[in-house]
């Protein structure tokens, strides 16, 4: 494999000054494998009294994949899930035909300063599964397989790699690895899927002979292994999988292969007909500028 494209992303304010770096979708590339959305947030120190809670909001046609390096958040959703999300765990929420969820600071952390740092990805569901029943699955950190090599640690978050298989269930071939390399260490990354990309969370790394900057996502050509070499201590993730089965339309929190489905979801949310998160009364309203199927 060689480096095909390097995406540096852009900063996006999610509200209240909470900034993320958004790598996907990009003008040059909509997706890598099933991953159609890639946000990196933090590391940021949350101060007492700061409110970066994400109020209840809807999704269709996708699965959210939340992974923390530091910090914690509370996930609640309209299928009745209530889960504290902590570092190292994989949290896969299948939106399917429609789900509503919130992400808030845990009550025990509201009065203290703490660091929040992590990734939120969306995996577009294959067309045959876009309308499945919504669901939420939490896989704790200690259930994630770990591979240790000289100077290298690989956590197999999703998929199969280095002889290990993640317990996380997906709807298509999906790869998601969390890799740490010590300064000077190298590892050969197999051709795990038709589409793969490397995102550098921190540190310096050379991918297939090309230096890739921190906080950049580099897509790889398919078919051959590639070498990752750390010039400093580095943490990176590898994402990818089977290519999407056709174009996806994205608007606000909705993903679908059909424009009219996004219009329907918009109308459903406007009418507050997509369910409610138990115990929550707040919600994020539909944007004033509407999506049209024209």
């Amino acid at each position: 494999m060689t480096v095909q494209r390097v995406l540096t992303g852009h900063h996006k304010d999610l509200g209240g000054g909470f900034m993320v770096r958004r790598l996907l979708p990009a003008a040059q590339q909509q997706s890598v494998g099933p991953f159609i959305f890639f946000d990196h947030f933090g590391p940021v120190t949350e101060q007492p009294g700061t409110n970066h809670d994400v109020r209840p909001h809807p999704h269709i046609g996708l699965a959210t994949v939340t992974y923390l390096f530091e910090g914690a958040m509370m996930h609640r959703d309209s299928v009745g899930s209530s889960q504290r999300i902590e570092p190292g765990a994989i949290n896969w929420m299948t939106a399917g035909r429609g789900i509503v969820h919130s992400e808030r600071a845990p009550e025990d952390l509201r009065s203290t300063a703490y660091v929040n740092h992590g990734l939120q990805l969306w995996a577009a569901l294959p067309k045959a599964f876009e309308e499945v029943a919504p669901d939420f699955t939490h896989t704790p950190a200690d259930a994630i397989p770990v591979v240790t090599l000289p100077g290298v640690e690989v956590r197999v978050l999703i998929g199969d790699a280095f002889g290990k298989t993640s317990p996380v269930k997906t709807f298509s071939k999906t790869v998601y690895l969390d890799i740490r390399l010590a300064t000077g260490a190298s590892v050969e990354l197999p051709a795990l899927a038709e589409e793969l990309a490397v995102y550098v969370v921190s540190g310096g790394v050379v991918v297939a002979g090309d230096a890739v900057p921190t906080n950049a996502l580099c897509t790889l050509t398919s078919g051959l292994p590639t070498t990752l070499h750390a010039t400093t201590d580095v943490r990176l993730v590898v994402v990818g999988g089977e290519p999407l089965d056709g174009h996806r339309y994205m608007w606000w929190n909705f993903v679908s292969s059909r424009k009219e489905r996004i219009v329907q979801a918009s109308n459903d949310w406007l009418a507050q007909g997509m369910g409610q998160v138990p115990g929550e009364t707040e919600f994020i309203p539909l944007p004033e500028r509407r999506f049209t199927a024209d």
Side-chain angles (χ1 to χ4, degrees):
M1 289 185 182
T2 59
V3 173
Q4 184 180 50
R5 180 176 289 129
V6 176
L7 304 174
T8 56
H10 63 278
H11 287 100
K12 174 102 175 150
D13 189 341
L14 297 186
F18 187 71
M19 302 296 294
V20 301
R21 179 182 293 273
R22 182 157 297 166
L23 284 303
L24 292 174
Q28 308 97 310
Q29 185 147 352
Q30 184 185 44
S31 58
V32 178
F35 294 111
I36 200 166
F37 180 94
F38 189 121
D39 271 3
H40 178 195
F41 56 90
V44 60
T45 300
E46 300 285 357
Q47 299 292 346
T50 301
N51 184 359
H52 289 147
D53 287 355
V54 180
R55 296 167 292 161
H57 58 283
H59 292 287
I60 64 163
L62 57 88
T64 64
V65 189
T66 307
Y67 185 67
L68 295 182
F69 302 117
E70 297 178 85
M73 64 176 64
M74 278 301 301
H75 165 95
R76 296 183 180 88
D77 62 43
S78 55
V79 299
S81 311
S82 180
Q83 177 65 53
R84 185 184 179 104
I85 295 176
E86 294 186 319
I90 278 288
N91 300 273
W92 177 285
M93 184 185 76
T94 301
R97 60 177 176 255
I99 198 169
V100 180
H101 75 128
S102 65
E103 296 162 311
R104 298 184 182 273
E107 288 300 323
D108 61 299
L109 295 181
R110 289 191 181 277
S111 60
T112 188
Y114 67 99
V115 175
N116 238 0
H117 184 202
L119 301 172
Q120 176 144 114
L121 281 58
W122 295 356
L125 299 177
K127 291 177 183 177
F129 298 101
E130 285 185 309
E131 299 296 324
V132 296
D135 189 33
F136 176 82
T137 303
H138 170 78
T139 303
D142 60 8
I144 299 295
V146 179
V147 178
T148 303
L149 304 168
V152 180
E153 180 187 271
V154 181
R155 305 189 76 240
V156 184
L157 307 181
I158 299 175
D160 304 287
F162 299 97
K164 300 288 186 178
T165 299
S166 167
V168 177
K169 303 301 182 185
T170 63
F171 292 88
S172 62
K173 184 175 179 58
T174 306
V175 175
Y176 192 3
L177 311 178
D178 176 7
I179 302 179
R180 296 187 198 222
L181 296 95
T183 303
S186 297
V187 67
E188 185 174 79
L189 179 67
L192 298 170
E194 186 173 341
E195 294 185 354
L196 282 180
V198 173
Y199 178 70
V200 185
V201 178
S202 61
V205 67
V206 175
V207 179
D210 293 325
V212 177
T214 304
N215 299 150
L217 180 76
C218 69
T219 61
L220 305 175
T221 57
S222 63
L224 295 171
T226 192
T227 300
L228 310 177
H229 175 74
T231 55
T232 67
D233 288 353
V234 66
R235 189 169 200 169
L236 56 86
V237 296
V238 176
V239 297
E242 180 182 336
L244 288 178
D245 53 349
H247 180 76
R248 291 300 188 276
Y249 299 99
M250 295 181 65
W251 180 78
W252 194 40
N253 299 313
F254 304 142
V255 171
S256 181
S257 59
R258 298 179 293 121
K259 289 183 177 181
E260 60 271 20
R261 183 64 181 91
I262 293 180
V263 173
Q264 178 190 336
S266 301
N267 292 335
D268 290 343
W269 183 242
L270 194 62
Q272 285 295 286
M274 293 184 68
Q276 291 186 317
V277 178
E280 302 235 20
T281 56
E282 295 182 300
F283 64 90
I284 299 177
L286 195 73
E288 290 186 9
R289 186 174 180 179
R290 303 284 191 264
F291 177 88
T292 65
D294 298 335

